[in-house]
Amino acid sequence: MTRVLISADMEGATGTVSPADVEAGTPRYERFRRLLTQDVNAAVAGFADAGADEIVVNDAHCGMDNVLIEELDPRAVLIVGRHKPLGMMQGLETGVDAVAFVGYHTGAGEQGVLAHTYLSHSILGVRIDGEPVDEGRFNALVAAEAGTPVVLVTGDDLTCRDAAQYAPGCRTVTVKTAISRHAAICHTPAVTSADIRREAAAALSSPPPHPTARPAPHVVEVDVDSPHLAERARALAGVEPGGPRTVRMETPDAREALRRFRALTWVIGGGREGDWT
């Protein structure tokens, strides 16, 4: 039996370029959650074409309730809602043979459409064992620890270029070419759906080798844009100063690193100030 997990983010979905495209409550968001669902359906169809027996879609963007279940391919099941223990990687713990990142994006401090790491601003960079990581690379470390390969990544061209480094041999689909943080040359949904379906089928038919997990423990470092956010973060047990705007923590494995990093973002996010002059 072959089981596939699709982790579905939104900033890297077909056509998205503006914060309003991915923020719940806006007319543009309602339009683009349909396009996100189309990207996910294309991946589901491709994996099913290649013989997947079970396909689990984990809604991984913001409130984690973006994919339209009424339009989801019935060959998949959907994990929806917040406060999941593994966040963007929920479903991995059930045992899967392959992971796909659909609608992913580049990280904080990097070029790319809607680039960020968990928070839209305030976090300037994240490193694990001294290596810069974005959400895709972080989640791939967690998958590697479980012995599960990342077989497909979709997003803008810079996201796909990054994926080739952290998941060698994975298939990628460039749904848009980044011009700036809020502009891109976008392919139409008809084109991206066909491309995603084709590459998903190919990814499962000839997956990359199982990854080797990075030796543990891990040191996670997070740079923020204000000293007061670093001070807030240090209120968490095990979080130490790494500089005026940097905090660090040592974790026993990648899964725990992800869990504690998510808690760190909640604390940092709660201390962000509104605009003022």
Side-chain angles (χ1 to χ4, degrees), residues 174-229:
T174 297
V175 302
K176 54 199 169 195
T177 300
I179 294 175
S180 71
R181 181 173 172 81
H182 296 141
I185 302 168
C186 297
H187 296 293
T188 65
V191 170
T192 59
S193 289
D195 288 347
I196 294 171
R197 181 170 186 168
R198 181 189 67 247
E199 294 303 314
L204 202 58
S205 298
S206 55
H210 286 264
T212 301
R214 183 192 294 259
H218 304 297
V219 174
V220 181
E221 297 173 286
V222 181
D223 301 327
V224 294
D225 64 5
S226 173
H228 86 278
L229 296 177

Short mmCIF file of all heavy atoms in Angstrom, two decimals, residues 174-229:
data_model
loop_
_atom_site.label_atom_id
_atom_site.label_comp_id
_atom_site.label_asym_id
_atom_site.label_seq_id
_atom_site.Cartn_x
_atom_site.Cartn_y
_atom_site.Cartn_z
N THR A 174 6.98 24.87 -11.41
CA THR A 174 6.99 26.33 -11.27
C THR A 174 5.66 26.87 -11.76
O THR A 174 5.39 26.86 -12.97
CB THR A 174 8.16 26.94 -12.07
OG1 THR A 174 9.39 26.47 -11.53
CG2 THR A 174 8.12 28.46 -12.01
N VAL A 175 4.82 27.34 -10.84
CA VAL A 175 3.51 27.85 -11.24
C VAL A 175 3.58 29.35 -11.56
O VAL A 175 2.65 29.90 -12.15
CB VAL A 175 2.44 27.60 -10.16
CG1 VAL A 175 2.33 26.10 -9.86
CG2 VAL A 175 2.72 28.37 -8.89
N LYS A 176 4.69 30.01 -11.15
CA LYS A 176 4.87 31.43 -11.43
C LYS A 176 6.35 31.77 -11.29
O LYS A 176 7.08 31.10 -10.54
CB LYS A 176 4.04 32.31 -10.49
CG LYS A 176 4.25 32.03 -9.01
CD LYS A 176 3.10 32.56 -8.17
CE LYS A 176 3.18 32.06 -6.74
NZ LYS A 176 1.93 32.26 -6.01
N THR A 177 6.76 32.79 -12.01
CA THR A 177 8.15 33.26 -11.94
C THR A 177 8.17 34.59 -11.20
O THR A 177 7.49 35.55 -11.60
CB THR A 177 8.73 33.44 -13.35
OG1 THR A 177 8.71 32.18 -14.03
CG2 THR A 177 10.16 33.95 -13.29
N ALA A 178 8.92 34.64 -10.10
CA ALA A 178 8.92 35.82 -9.24
C ALA A 178 9.53 37.04 -9.94
O ALA A 178 10.58 36.94 -10.56
CB ALA A 178 9.68 35.53 -7.96
N ILE A 179 8.85 38.16 -9.82
CA ILE A 179 9.39 39.45 -10.23
C ILE A 179 9.81 40.23 -8.98
O ILE A 179 10.87 40.82 -8.92
CB ILE A 179 8.36 40.25 -11.04
CG1 ILE A 179 8.05 39.55 -12.36
CG2 ILE A 179 8.85 41.68 -11.28
CD1 ILE A 179 6.94 40.20 -13.16
N SER A 180 8.95 40.19 -7.97
CA SER A 180 9.22 40.84 -6.69
C SER A 180 8.42 40.11 -5.63
O SER A 180 7.80 39.07 -5.90
CB SER A 180 8.80 42.32 -6.74
OG SER A 180 7.39 42.43 -6.77
N ARG A 181 8.41 40.64 -4.45
CA ARG A 181 7.65 40.03 -3.35
C ARG A 181 6.17 39.97 -3.67
O ARG A 181 5.47 39.04 -3.24
CB ARG A 181 7.87 40.84 -2.06
CG ARG A 181 7.16 40.31 -0.82
CD ARG A 181 7.60 41.09 0.42
NE ARG A 181 6.84 40.78 1.60
CZ ARG A 181 7.03 39.71 2.39
NH1 ARG A 181 7.96 38.85 2.09
NH2 ARG A 181 6.29 39.53 3.47
N HIS A 182 5.67 40.94 -4.47
CA HIS A 182 4.24 41.02 -4.75
C HIS A 182 3.93 41.05 -6.24
O HIS A 182 2.90 41.60 -6.65
CB HIS A 182 3.64 42.27 -4.07
CG HIS A 182 3.72 42.24 -2.57
ND1 HIS A 182 4.00 43.35 -1.82
CD2 HIS A 182 3.57 41.22 -1.70
CE1 HIS A 182 4.02 43.02 -0.54
NE2 HIS A 182 3.75 41.74 -0.45
N ALA A 183 4.80 40.45 -7.05
CA ALA A 183 4.53 40.40 -8.49
C ALA A 183 5.19 39.16 -9.07
O ALA A 183 6.25 38.72 -8.62
CB ALA A 183 5.06 41.66 -9.19
N ALA A 184 4.54 38.60 -10.08
CA ALA A 184 5.07 37.39 -10.72
C ALA A 184 4.48 37.23 -12.10
O ALA A 184 3.42 37.78 -12.42
CB ALA A 184 4.75 36.15 -9.88
N ILE A 185 5.18 36.48 -12.93
CA ILE A 185 4.64 36.03 -14.22
C ILE A 185 3.96 34.69 -13.94
O ILE A 185 4.61 33.72 -13.57
CB ILE A 185 5.76 35.85 -15.26
CG1 ILE A 185 6.52 37.15 -15.45
CG2 ILE A 185 5.18 35.35 -16.58
CD1 ILE A 185 7.81 36.99 -16.25
N CYS A 186 2.65 34.65 -14.08
CA CYS A 186 1.87 33.49 -13.64
C CYS A 186 1.36 32.67 -14.82
O CYS A 186 0.85 33.22 -15.80
CB CYS A 186 0.68 33.94 -12.80
SG CYS A 186 1.13 34.79 -11.28
N HIS A 187 1.49 31.36 -14.69
CA HIS A 187 0.84 30.46 -15.64
C HIS A 187 -0.64 30.33 -15.27
O HIS A 187 -1.03 30.51 -14.11
CB HIS A 187 1.50 29.09 -15.62
CG HIS A 187 2.93 29.11 -16.05
ND1 HIS A 187 3.31 29.41 -17.34
CD2 HIS A 187 4.08 28.87 -15.37
CE1 HIS A 187 4.63 29.35 -17.43
NE2 HIS A 187 5.12 29.03 -16.25
N THR A 188 -1.47 30.01 -16.24
CA THR A 188 -2.90 29.87 -15.99
C THR A 188 -3.19 28.57 -15.25
O THR A 188 -2.40 27.62 -15.30
CB THR A 188 -3.69 29.88 -17.30
OG1 THR A 188 -3.33 28.72 -18.06
CG2 THR A 188 -3.39 31.14 -18.10
N PRO A 189 -4.34 28.49 -14.57
CA PRO A 189 -4.69 27.26 -13.86
C PRO A 189 -4.71 26.02 -14.75
O PRO A 189 -4.34 24.93 -14.30
CB PRO A 189 -6.07 27.57 -13.28
CG PRO A 189 -6.09 29.06 -13.14
CD PRO A 189 -5.31 29.58 -14.30
N ALA A 190 -5.14 26.16 -15.99
CA ALA A 190 -5.17 25.01 -16.89
C ALA A 190 -3.77 24.45 -17.11
O ALA A 190 -3.55 23.23 -17.14
CB ALA A 190 -5.80 25.39 -18.23
N VAL A 191 -2.80 25.36 -17.25
CA VAL A 191 -1.42 24.94 -17.47
C VAL A 191 -0.83 24.33 -16.20
O VAL A 191 -0.23 23.25 -16.22
CB VAL A 191 -0.56 26.12 -17.95
CG1 VAL A 191 0.92 25.77 -17.94
CG2 VAL A 191 -1.00 26.56 -19.34
N THR A 192 -1.02 25.02 -15.06
CA THR A 192 -0.40 24.51 -13.82
C THR A 192 -1.04 23.20 -13.37
O THR A 192 -0.34 22.32 -12.87
CB THR A 192 -0.50 25.56 -12.69
OG1 THR A 192 -1.86 25.88 -12.43
CG2 THR A 192 0.26 26.82 -13.07
N SER A 193 -2.34 23.05 -13.56
CA SER A 193 -2.98 21.79 -13.18
C SER A 193 -2.42 20.62 -13.98
O SER A 193 -2.12 19.55 -13.42
CB SER A 193 -4.49 21.87 -13.38
OG SER A 193 -5.09 22.71 -12.42
N ALA A 194 -2.24 20.81 -15.27
CA ALA A 194 -1.68 19.75 -16.11
C ALA A 194 -0.24 19.44 -15.70
O ALA A 194 0.16 18.27 -15.62
CB ALA A 194 -1.74 20.16 -17.58
N ASP A 195 0.53 20.49 -15.41
CA ASP A 195 1.93 20.28 -15.03
C ASP A 195 2.04 19.56 -13.68
O ASP A 195 2.85 18.64 -13.52
CB ASP A 195 2.65 21.62 -14.95
CG ASP A 195 2.90 22.25 -16.31
OD1 ASP A 195 2.74 21.55 -17.33
OD2 ASP A 195 3.27 23.44 -16.34
N ILE A 196 1.22 19.98 -12.72
CA ILE A 196 1.27 19.36 -11.40
C ILE A 196 0.85 17.90 -11.48
O ILE A 196 1.48 17.02 -10.89
CB ILE A 196 0.40 20.14 -10.39
CG1 ILE A 196 0.99 21.53 -10.14
CG2 ILE A 196 0.29 19.36 -9.07
CD1 ILE A 196 0.09 22.45 -9.34
N ARG A 197 -0.22 17.62 -12.22
CA ARG A 197 -0.68 16.22 -12.33
C ARG A 197 0.40 15.34 -12.97
O ARG A 197 0.69 14.25 -12.48
CB ARG A 197 -1.97 16.16 -13.15
CG ARG A 197 -2.52 14.75 -13.28
CD ARG A 197 -3.90 14.73 -13.88
NE ARG A 197 -4.47 13.39 -13.86
CZ ARG A 197 -5.75 13.11 -14.11
NH1 ARG A 197 -6.60 14.08 -14.39
NH2 ARG A 197 -6.17 11.85 -14.07
N ARG A 198 1.02 15.84 -14.03
CA ARG A 198 2.07 15.07 -14.71
C ARG A 198 3.26 14.80 -13.79
O ARG A 198 3.74 13.67 -13.69
CB ARG A 198 2.53 15.82 -15.95
CG ARG A 198 3.61 15.10 -16.76
CD ARG A 198 4.18 15.97 -17.85
NE ARG A 198 4.94 17.09 -17.30
CZ ARG A 198 4.57 18.37 -17.42
NH1 ARG A 198 3.46 18.70 -18.05
NH2 ARG A 198 5.32 19.31 -16.88
N GLU A 199 3.72 15.83 -13.09
CA GLU A 199 4.91 15.68 -12.26
C GLU A 199 4.62 14.87 -11.00
O GLU A 199 5.50 14.16 -10.50
CB GLU A 199 5.48 17.05 -11.90
CG GLU A 199 6.03 17.81 -13.10
CD GLU A 199 7.10 17.01 -13.84
OE1 GLU A 199 7.99 16.44 -13.18
OE2 GLU A 199 7.03 16.94 -15.09
N ALA A 200 3.40 14.95 -10.47
CA ALA A 200 3.04 14.13 -9.31
C ALA A 200 3.08 12.65 -9.68
O ALA A 200 3.59 11.81 -8.92
CB ALA A 200 1.67 14.52 -8.79
N ALA A 201 2.54 12.32 -10.85
CA ALA A 201 2.55 10.93 -11.30
C ALA A 201 3.99 10.44 -11.48
O ALA A 201 4.34 9.33 -11.06
CB ALA A 201 1.76 10.79 -12.59
N ALA A 202 4.81 11.28 -12.09
CA ALA A 202 6.21 10.91 -12.31
C ALA A 202 6.96 10.78 -10.99
O ALA A 202 7.81 9.89 -10.81
CB ALA A 202 6.88 11.94 -13.21
N ALA A 203 6.62 11.65 -10.03
CA ALA A 203 7.30 11.64 -8.74
C ALA A 203 7.06 10.35 -7.98
O ALA A 203 7.96 9.83 -7.32
CB ALA A 203 6.83 12.83 -7.90
N LEU A 204 5.85 9.82 -8.07
CA LEU A 204 5.54 8.59 -7.34
C LEU A 204 6.00 7.36 -8.12
O LEU A 204 6.33 6.33 -7.53
CB LEU A 204 4.04 8.51 -7.08
CG LEU A 204 3.63 7.61 -5.91
CD1 LEU A 204 4.29 8.07 -4.62
CD2 LEU A 204 2.12 7.59 -5.75
N SER A 205 6.06 7.47 -9.43
CA SER A 205 6.51 6.34 -10.25
C SER A 205 8.00 6.09 -10.10
O SER A 205 8.45 4.94 -10.15
CB SER A 205 6.17 6.61 -11.73
OG SER A 205 4.78 6.73 -11.91
N SER A 206 8.77 7.16 -9.91
CA SER A 206 10.22 7.01 -9.72
C SER A 206 10.69 7.96 -8.63
O SER A 206 11.35 8.97 -8.91
CB SER A 206 10.96 7.29 -11.03
OG SER A 206 10.62 8.56 -11.54
N PRO A 207 10.33 7.67 -7.37
CA PRO A 207 10.66 8.58 -6.27
C PRO A 207 12.16 8.62 -6.00
O PRO A 207 12.88 7.67 -6.32
CB PRO A 207 9.90 7.98 -5.09
CG PRO A 207 9.80 6.53 -5.41
CD PRO A 207 9.64 6.46 -6.90
N PRO A 208 12.65 9.71 -5.41
CA PRO A 208 14.05 9.78 -5.01
C PRO A 208 14.33 8.80 -3.88
O PRO A 208 13.39 8.29 -3.25
CB PRO A 208 14.21 11.23 -4.55
CG PRO A 208 12.85 11.65 -4.14
CD PRO A 208 11.91 10.93 -5.06
N PRO A 209 15.59 8.51 -3.61
CA PRO A 209 15.90 7.58 -2.51
C PRO A 209 15.47 8.14 -1.17
O PRO A 209 15.32 9.36 -1.01
CB PRO A 209 17.42 7.44 -2.60
CG PRO A 209 17.88 8.67 -3.31
CD PRO A 209 16.79 9.01 -4.27
N HIS A 210 15.30 7.26 -0.21
CA HIS A 210 14.93 7.71 1.12
C HIS A 210 16.05 8.57 1.69
O HIS A 210 17.23 8.24 1.56
CB HIS A 210 14.65 6.51 2.04
CG HIS A 210 13.35 5.85 1.74
ND1 HIS A 210 12.20 6.13 2.44
CD2 HIS A 210 13.01 4.94 0.80
CE1 HIS A 210 11.19 5.41 1.95
NE2 HIS A 210 11.67 4.68 0.96
N PRO A 211 15.68 9.68 2.31
CA PRO A 211 16.70 10.63 2.77
C PRO A 211 17.43 10.15 4.03
O PRO A 211 16.92 9.31 4.77
CB PRO A 211 15.88 11.88 3.06
CG PRO A 211 14.54 11.35 3.47
CD PRO A 211 14.32 10.12 2.62
N THR A 212 18.60 10.71 4.23
CA THR A 212 19.36 10.46 5.45
C THR A 212 19.11 11.61 6.41
O THR A 212 19.29 12.77 6.06
CB THR A 212 20.86 10.36 5.15
OG1 THR A 212 21.09 9.30 4.23
CG2 THR A 212 21.64 10.10 6.44
N ALA A 213 18.68 11.29 7.62
CA ALA A 213 18.37 12.33 8.59
C ALA A 213 19.64 13.04 9.04
O ALA A 213 20.71 12.43 9.15
CB ALA A 213 17.65 11.73 9.80
N ARG A 214 19.52 14.31 9.29
CA ARG A 214 20.64 15.09 9.82
C ARG A 214 20.92 14.64 11.26
O ARG A 214 20.00 14.47 12.04
CB ARG A 214 20.25 16.58 9.79
CG ARG A 214 21.35 17.52 10.25
CD ARG A 214 20.76 18.89 10.46
NE ARG A 214 20.31 19.48 9.20
CZ ARG A 214 20.97 20.40 8.51
NH1 ARG A 214 22.13 20.84 8.96
NH2 ARG A 214 20.48 20.88 7.39
N PRO A 215 22.20 14.47 11.60
CA PRO A 215 22.53 14.04 12.97
C PRO A 215 21.98 15.00 14.02
O PRO A 215 22.06 16.22 13.86
CB PRO A 215 24.05 14.03 12.98
CG PRO A 215 24.45 13.88 11.54
CD PRO A 215 23.40 14.60 10.76
N ALA A 216 21.39 14.45 15.06
CA ALA A 216 20.84 15.25 16.16
C ALA A 216 21.86 15.27 17.30
O ALA A 216 22.77 14.44 17.34
CB ALA A 216 19.52 14.65 16.62
N PRO A 217 21.72 16.19 18.26
CA PRO A 217 20.66 17.21 18.40
C PRO A 217 20.86 18.36 17.43
O PRO A 217 21.87 18.42 16.71
CB PRO A 217 20.82 17.67 19.85
CG PRO A 217 22.30 17.49 20.12
CD PRO A 217 22.68 16.24 19.38
N HIS A 218 19.88 19.28 17.43
CA HIS A 218 19.91 20.43 16.52
C HIS A 218 19.87 21.73 17.30
O HIS A 218 19.20 21.84 18.32
CB HIS A 218 18.70 20.39 15.57
CG HIS A 218 18.61 19.12 14.79
ND1 HIS A 218 19.56 18.73 13.90
CD2 HIS A 218 17.66 18.14 14.78
CE1 HIS A 218 19.22 17.56 13.35
NE2 HIS A 218 18.07 17.18 13.88
N VAL A 219 20.58 22.71 16.75
CA VAL A 219 20.53 24.06 17.30
C VAL A 219 19.72 24.93 16.34
O VAL A 219 20.07 25.03 15.16
CB VAL A 219 21.94 24.65 17.50
CG1 VAL A 219 21.83 26.12 17.94
CG2 VAL A 219 22.71 23.85 18.54
N VAL A 220 18.65 25.51 16.84
CA VAL A 220 17.79 26.38 16.04
C VAL A 220 18.05 27.83 16.45
O VAL A 220 18.02 28.14 17.65
CB VAL A 220 16.30 26.05 16.25
CG1 VAL A 220 15.42 26.96 15.38
CG2 VAL A 220 16.03 24.58 15.94
N GLU A 221 18.32 28.69 15.47
CA GLU A 221 18.54 30.11 15.73
C GLU A 221 17.50 30.91 14.94
O GLU A 221 17.22 30.60 13.78
CB GLU A 221 19.93 30.53 15.30
CG GLU A 221 21.06 29.85 16.05
CD GLU A 221 22.40 30.19 15.46
OE1 GLU A 221 22.71 29.65 14.37
OE2 GLU A 221 23.13 30.98 16.06
N VAL A 222 16.95 31.93 15.58
CA VAL A 222 15.92 32.76 14.95
C VAL A 222 16.31 34.22 15.12
O VAL A 222 16.56 34.68 16.24
CB VAL A 222 14.53 32.51 15.57
CG1 VAL A 222 13.48 33.36 14.88
CG2 VAL A 222 14.17 31.03 15.50
N ASP A 223 16.36 34.95 14.01
CA ASP A 223 16.63 36.39 14.02
C ASP A 223 15.31 37.13 13.89
O ASP A 223 14.48 36.80 13.02
CB ASP A 223 17.52 36.80 12.85
CG ASP A 223 18.87 36.09 12.86
OD1 ASP A 223 19.38 35.81 13.95
OD2 ASP A 223 19.40 35.82 11.76
N VAL A 224 15.09 38.13 14.76
CA VAL A 224 13.88 38.93 14.70
C VAL A 224 14.26 40.39 14.45
O VAL A 224 15.43 40.76 14.50
CB VAL A 224 13.05 38.80 16.00
CG1 VAL A 224 12.51 37.39 16.13
CG2 VAL A 224 13.89 39.15 17.22
N ASP A 225 13.25 41.23 14.17
CA ASP A 225 13.55 42.60 13.76
C ASP A 225 13.57 43.61 14.91
O ASP A 225 13.78 44.79 14.69
CB ASP A 225 12.60 43.06 12.66
CG ASP A 225 11.14 43.13 13.10
OD1 ASP A 225 10.86 42.91 14.31
OD2 ASP A 225 10.28 43.40 12.24
N SER A 226 13.35 43.13 16.15
CA SER A 226 13.36 44.05 17.28
C SER A 226 13.83 43.31 18.53
O SER A 226 13.41 42.17 18.77
CB SER A 226 11.96 44.62 17.52
OG SER A 226 11.92 45.38 18.71
N PRO A 227 14.67 43.94 19.34
CA PRO A 227 15.13 43.29 20.57
C PRO A 227 14.01 42.87 21.51
O PRO A 227 14.13 41.87 22.22
CB PRO A 227 16.03 44.35 21.22
CG PRO A 227 16.51 45.18 20.08
CD PRO A 227 15.35 45.24 19.12
N HIS A 228 12.90 43.62 21.52
CA HIS A 228 11.84 43.26 22.48
C HIS A 228 11.20 41.92 22.12
O HIS A 228 10.71 41.21 23.00
CB HIS A 228 10.79 44.38 22.57
CG HIS A 228 9.69 44.31 21.56
ND1 HIS A 228 9.81 44.80 20.28
CD2 HIS A 228 8.42 43.81 21.65
CE1 HIS A 228 8.69 44.62 19.62
NE2 HIS A 228 7.82 44.03 20.43
N LEU A 229 11.22 41.54 20.84
CA LEU A 229 10.68 40.25 20.45
C LEU A 229 11.60 39.12 20.90
O LEU A 229 11.14 38.05 21.31
CB LEU A 229 10.47 40.20 18.93
CG LEU A 229 9.43 41.18 18.38
CD1 LEU A 229 9.35 41.08 16.87
CD2 LEU A 229 8.05 40.93 19.01
#
